[in-house]
Each structure stands twice: as structure tokens, then as C-alpha cells.
Amino acid sequence: MSDRLEFASQAFAPFIGVAPLMRLAFANEDIKPIGEALLKRAEENITDANALMDCSVYLQIIGHHDLALAMQAQAIKTQALYSIPAKKSAPGIKLLVIMGPGDLMSNTPIEFLIEDSDVSLDILYLSLHTDWPEIVPEHDVMLVGIAESEANQALLKKVGLFIANWPRPVINLPEYIAQTSRDGVCAALRNCAGIEMPVTVRTDRTTLGQLSAGVINVDTLLPGDRFPLIVRPLGSHAGKDLEKIEDAKSLNDYLERIPTEYFYLSRFVDYRSIDGLFRKYRIAIIEGKSYVCHFAISSHWMIHYLNAGMGESAEKRAEEADCMAHFDEEFAKRHAVALESIHQRMGMQYLGIDCAETQDGNLLIFEIDNAMVVHAMDPVEIYPYKKPAMQKVFNAFRQMLENSRHAINVAEATTANVENP
């Protein structure tokens, strides 16, 4: 780590980025010396935007959310553009990614998808208060990385106006990203064969208070549904304040603990397998083809890979390895119609899905968006099967960029031939 520490200490040094810092933290290495070096740089040079932005990442990793976002805001105010060169000597493709302010879940985690590749990356941060720059870096392909949220809906609309008729290919148009809210996905996938996604509604504290007091019943908000329910605040990710509500009293207790004003509400689906365990898949769909990114097994219905005990169970890892080895001919084949419907209805070249299988064999959708973390940071000695599986994802992502670049080049050549027969 000494070379990284020395690099972090250099005033106005190049941008480090999310992936190297996160990889060190994921491996349980002490990143405090790097963080302290970055903080010192930022304090001594308030216009050192790279230090400010890297500081923001470091502070998010160690849990100082508000300070991290304040430092990020200062970085963006100082400099909107951040660059990471291709890892290979000759860049094969130049990628421009449009991002917005926010934490590590607010944008597509692009760095993990192109790590150690020939892709040179420029990240342009925009906000509701900034104009489109007069000059942007030369690029082969643009990707809109801004994730859907209440705060980002207006920004997505603004970016959509900026890039209308953009002369380079654009991956994940803002208008499609905007429909990846939980209720938006539910509406988009309504009546899709082979898909189960309980109706999700937005509601407020007052209405939930009426439900908890018996003034209204579940059917008023979710026709045909009943307890148990799933409730979470708007904008909640990674299971924060997400709970299963068994009855009206449980809902009242929840409201007393969670001060949020607006919530998502949906019916709980018991998706446990015959052995009593719950299984969740994270899948990437890239140009219509599905790739498994992880497969978690837990005794609890709310599964997160990091708390599912995968690292402690050779049996669970063996099942995940088998899932990854036979994903194409098993899971992807079983749900081919459903997965194709998702690709067609969501309209995005790249997206992530958190899902499971119901007891009657349907694809149960938890979430679909463009900002799920897809990575290859797990230790090879414990997860030897993951690196090949994830390399398929990264290769497909790289090929998507190439296909996008090729499509625009063909279109330009065709136009030139028409104009100059």
C-alpha cells in the first residue's frame, strides 16, 4: 500500500477513484493512512479537486456520510470532470459517463465494470444548478450513470434535454432510467408472463397512520392484498429501514421508530425454498443477455450478500458455484421469457436486477436499476469460481461499448455514402 499512500500524498495528483479505495477496504486493509493523506492534501490545497473527490469516497467508506457529500459538493464546484486512464497501454475506447451528486449508490458504479481494461474513463458531474459545459472530452460512447431517485428525477430530465440528438451513441437514456423507481418498475412490468412483482405504492406517514389505527385497511391501498406487508422509506437502499410488517400494531411501532414522511408499501411474498432457505440472485442484463453476478442463500428473507454467511459456508459457496456454472442452461433458460420482457420494457442496454424464484416458479422482482454494485473483489482463495463468472460480465459490458461505437460508425458511413454517391 506504500505506493498508493505516496500517490495519495502528492498535491494535485491524478484522481484515484472508487475502485482502488473500495478494493482495499473490501480486503480489510487499513486505508486510514491513505485517507489521512488525502485529507491533508485537501486541507492544504482547497482547489485540489481530485483530493476532495477521493476524500469523499474515503469518508463514505468509513461511514461519515454527510461530511463526504459536503466534500464531494466542494470538489464538483471546483472541477466537474474526473479522469481515469485505461489500464492497458493503448486505450481501446473512450467512455464519457454522466453522473450526479450523491453517495456511492447514486450512480452506476462504472469503475468496477471496466477495471483493468483498455477503456479510458471520463466522469462528468452535473447538477440541477450547473449548465452543460461548452466543451466535453472527446469520446466514443456516452453512458448516463445517474440513478433514479426522487432528487434525481429533475436532473435526469435536464440531462435528457442536454443530450437530445447527441452525435455519439448514448447508453441508458435518462427517460428510461427515470422509470426505475420501485413503483415505476412495477408499472412497467405489469402483466408480464412469468414475472411476479407485487403492486408497490407510494404513500405517506398520515395514510400509514390511518392503516395502523384501523381507519383504512390494506385493500384500500393495495387492492386484493393483506398483511404481512413490506414497508420502506422512499430513497432507501441496501435494506435501510426496510421491514416486514405483520399487522397494524407492528406498523404503528414502525412509524414510531422511523421518522420519514414518505414510504413505499407492497405485499410480502414468501419465496423460501423447500428447505426453508431464501435465495436471491443479482443479475446484469447487457444488450438483452443475462449474466449472474452473485447468488446469496440465507435463513432470513431480507438477503444481502455480505450478511448471508456465504464466506463461512462451503456448502452455500458450492451451490453458488453450481448456479454460476450452469446459469445459462438452467436459470436463464427457465426465465427466458421473463428476462426478455424486462429487457424490452425497461429499454436499457445495461441494468441490474435483484430477484428470486417464487414457490410456483415465477421470477420475483425486488429491484431493477442501473446502479447495483457489480464487482470482482471477493477473495479468489475463497470464491475461485467467481472470477470467471464476473469476467463474462465485464467482457459483455466491454463488447456493448464496442457495439455502440460500431453502430454509430456504420451510421455515419452510410450517411456519407448517401450524401456523396
Side-chain angles (χ1 to χ4, degrees):
M1 185 173 31
S2 59
D3 58 333
R4 293 181 186 274
L5 178 56
E6 181 182 355
F7 186 69
S9 302
Q10 296 173 4
F12 297 95
F15 180 52
I16 297 174
V18 174
L21 294 170
M22 186 68 79
R23 184 172 288 281
L24 289 172
F26 205 82
N28 293 318
E29 292 196 35
D30 182 12
I31 62 172
K32 186 177 179 180
I34 292 178
E36 289 177 344
L38 290 169
L39 286 165
K40 187 172 185 292
R41 267 178 59 194
E43 289 171 355
E44 292 177 350
N45 302 284
I46 61 172
T47 60
D48 190 344
N50 288 340
L52 289 165
M53 188 61 78
D54 284 329
C55 268
S56 173
V57 174
Y58 165 72
L59 290 168
Q60 288 183 69
I61 290 173
I62 65 173
H64 295 293
H65 181 268
D66 292 344
L67 180 57
L69 294 192
M71 195 161 283
Q72 181 194 71
Q74 181 60 37
I76 295 172
K77 182 179 179 181
T78 304
Q79 173 184 302
L81 185 67
Y82 298 83
S83 301
I84 299 176
K87 294 299 186 292
K88 297 183 178 178
S89 55
I93 197 162
K94 297 176 182 177
L95 177 63
L96 175 63
V97 177
I98 308 302
M99 291 191 178
D103 60 27
L104 297 177
M105 293 180 287
S106 298
N107 296 283
T108 302
I110 185 67
E111 292 179 45
F112 296 110
L113 292 162
I114 60 170
E115 255 190 312
D116 301 320
S117 76
D118 64 345
V119 177
S120 63
L121 175 63
D122 284 308
I123 301 172
L124 178 62
Y125 281 90
L126 296 175
S127 73
L128 282 175
H129 311 294
T130 56
D131 294 324
W132 187 264
E134 293 183 9
I135 300 174
V136 298
E138 179 61 33
H139 57 283
D140 301 304
V141 180
M142 174 192 290
L143 181 142
V144 179
I146 302 166
E148 191 283 331
S149 67
E150 282 294 291
N152 280 348
Q153 282 287 347
L155 179 57
L156 286 166
K157 186 174 182 179
K158 182 176 181 179
V159 171
L161 295 174
F162 281 150
I163 65 173
N165 303 312
W166 195 252
R168 299 286 94 192
V170 180
I171 293 172
N172 287 0
L173 291 169
E175 56 264 37
Y176 295 126
I177 298 172
Q179 71 173 356
T180 59
S181 62
R182 296 183 190 277
D183 53 338
V185 170
C186 184
L189 300 183
R190 186 173 293 129
N191 301 322
C192 280
I195 290 178
E196 180 163 352
M197 186 175 186
V199 173
T200 300
V201 297
R202 299 185 186 206
T203 188
D204 56 32
R205 171 172 291 274
T206 299
T207 303
L208 289 185
Q210 293 174 334
L211 178 58
S212 71
V215 176
I216 60 175
N217 57 35
V218 174
D219 190 72
T220 304
L221 300 175
L222 298 167
D225 288 340
R226 60 184 184 275
F227 288 107
L229 302 173
I230 293 293
V231 62
R232 75 175 79 211
L234 249 64
S236 166
H237 291 283
K240 181 175 173 56
D241 296 329
L242 164 66
E243 292 191 21
K244 176 185 174 185
I245 303 298
E246 298 287 354
D247 50 34
K249 182 181 183 306
S250 299
L251 180 57
N252 182 69
D253 294 342
Y254 176 85
L255 292 172
E256 287 183 352
R257 287 183 283 105
I258 308 300
T260 309
E261 183 62 31
Y262 297 99
F263 302 86
Y264 281 120
L265 190 70
S266 63
R267 169 175 54 89
F268 173 76
V269 176
D270 186 350
Y271 64 98
R272 78 186 75 194
S273 303
I274 193 169
D275 62 359
L277 296 177
F278 296 89
R279 290 165 169 83
K280 188 184 82 169
Y281 300 77
R282 175 158 293 181
I283 294 168
I285 297 185
I286 304 174
E287 294 188 298
K289 181 171 172 54
S290 301
Y291 301 85
V292 61
C293 301
H294 71 226
F295 173 62
I297 306 161
S298 175
S299 59
H300 194 276
W301 64 269
M302 186 168 57
I303 305 177
H304 299 291
Y305 195 87
L306 293 177
N307 66 14
M310 300 297 292
E312 293 73 41
S313 172
E315 185 177 357
K316 287 182 179 181
R317 294 197 303 277
E319 186 175 340
E320 183 181 35
D322 185 71
C323 168
M324 288 184 158
H326 302 288
F327 179 79
D328 289 344
E329 64 267 29
E330 294 183 359
F331 184 96
K333 187 175 182 179
R334 286 197 302 274
H335 301 291
V337 172
L339 292 167
E340 176 61 21
S341 295
I342 291 171
H343 171 60
Q344 293 295 333
R345 294 203 180 188
M346 300 312 297
M348 299 163 68
Q349 298 99 312
Y350 172 78
L351 53 82
I353 307 173
D354 275 348
C355 59
E357 293 179 285
T358 63
Q359 295 172 354
D360 58 0
N362 285 329
L363 188 66
L364 175 63
I365 303 298
F366 299 129
E367 187 173 2
I368 296 178
D369 64 39
N370 61 324
M372 291 182 187
V373 178
V374 173
H375 67 82
M377 294 189 292
D378 295 292
V380 175
E381 62 273 15
I382 300 177
Y383 304 91
Y385 54 88
K386 277 198 171 184
K387 190 172 182 180
M390 294 312 302
Q391 195 58 52
K392 290 181 181 179
V393 178
F394 304 148
N395 290 345
F397 190 87
R398 176 63 179 81
Q399 188 60 50
M400 175 189 68
L401 298 179
E402 188 62 48
N403 292 343
S404 295
R405 174 169 66 174
H406 178 71
I408 197 87
N409 288 342
V410 169
E412 289 175 346
T414 300
T415 301
N417 289 336
V418 170
E419 293 176 349
N420 302 287

